[in-house]
Amino acid sequence: MSRALLLIDIQEGMDSPLWGARNNPDAEDNAARLLAAFRDSGAPLFHVQHFSKRPASPLHPDNGGTAIKSIVAPREGEPVYAKDTNSAFIGTTLEADLRAAGVDGVVVAGLSTPQCISTSVRMAANLGFETWLAHDACAAFETHAAYDWAEGLPRMSADDIHIMEVSMLHGEFCRAMSTDAILEALA
């Protein structure tokens, strides 16, 4: 099994207070541990970066938040895919490049769990990749306060949203695992 790491949307704009309260403050540290392990082993790794079309988004190119965080910044020669949807596979050559590299399994980490991580995990599985979700290398936000909240719907905590989304993905689209469990399985 050839397995690649997909680091999705770990960008400076994700620190904006506009997203609301966040869970899992160690997500970036865990993603960095995965990145170091993949670099050390020479296994394929891919960075994905979101460029929002929404002018109010902290990830819109005009708002200064599109840079990948330094803790997981790509090195020269590491592929970086720019996207403007909630999937790492739409509008990019990621699938073709994974297949060209002989990859049949992926480890997914990044931000945010119920949006781009969930969509990318679902698509990876539907495209036939054995998918592992590093649940502690992802995080969710309480609400997306930068956008309208649906009237009458209850707010949920970031932990509740994260746990619910990981639970929905696990077993159907991926195997949700801790960073430690992934690193042990890869060793």
Side-chain angles (χ1 to χ4, degrees):
M1 164 88 40
S2 175
R3 193 170 299 279
L5 176 64
L6 306 182
L7 294 177
I8 301 173
D9 302 349
I10 305 175
Q11 295 170 245
E12 295 294 333
M14 290 297 200
D15 291 339
S16 171
L18 290 175
W19 300 116
R22 181 186 139 170
N23 77 324
N24 198 4
D26 297 326
E28 289 88 345
D29 290 334
N30 287 327
R33 291 173 54 217
L34 290 167
L35 178 58
F38 273 78
R39 283 176 172 157
D40 288 348
S41 72
L45 57 100
F46 301 84
H47 301 267
V48 181
Q49 188 175 18
H50 192 82
F51 293 89
S52 179
K53 294 181 200 177
R54 297 175 188 237
S57 172
L59 299 179
H60 188 277
D62 292 342
N63 296 334
T66 59
I68 295 174
K69 291 184 177 188
S70 62
I71 193 169
V72 293
R75 291 182 179 165
E76 187 174 333
E78 293 177 352
V80 179
Y81 299 85
K83 67 177 183 63
D84 61 11
T85 69
N86 56 11
S87 172
F89 294 94
I90 300 295
T92 71
T93 60
L94 179 58
E95 177 189 3
D97 295 345
L98 288 167
R99 296 199 191 286
V103 170
D104 46 12
V106 294
V107 174
V108 178
L111 304 170
S112 81
T113 310
Q115 278 78 31
C116 297
I117 298 306
S118 176
T119 304
S120 297
V121 163
R122 290 168 188 264
M123 287 198 69
N126 287 332
L127 291 168
F129 296 101
E130 182 184 70
T131 305
W132 292 354
L133 173 61
H135 64 76
D136 59 353
C138 300
F141 298 91
E142 178 182 45
T143 65
H144 288 273
Y147 310 115
D148 293 330
W149 189 248
E151 185 177 329
L153 292 179
R155 290 181 182 257
M156 295 169 46
S157 73
D159 276 333
D160 288 344
I161 291 169
H162 181 78
I163 291 166
M164 181 179 63
E165 190 62 39
V166 170
S167 298
M168 296 297 220
L169 294 170
H170 179 72
E172 180 72 22
F173 297 99
C174 70
R175 182 173 171 201
M177 304 166 67
S178 68
T179 297
D180 287 341
I182 291 170
L183 293 174
E184 184 177 321
L186 294 172

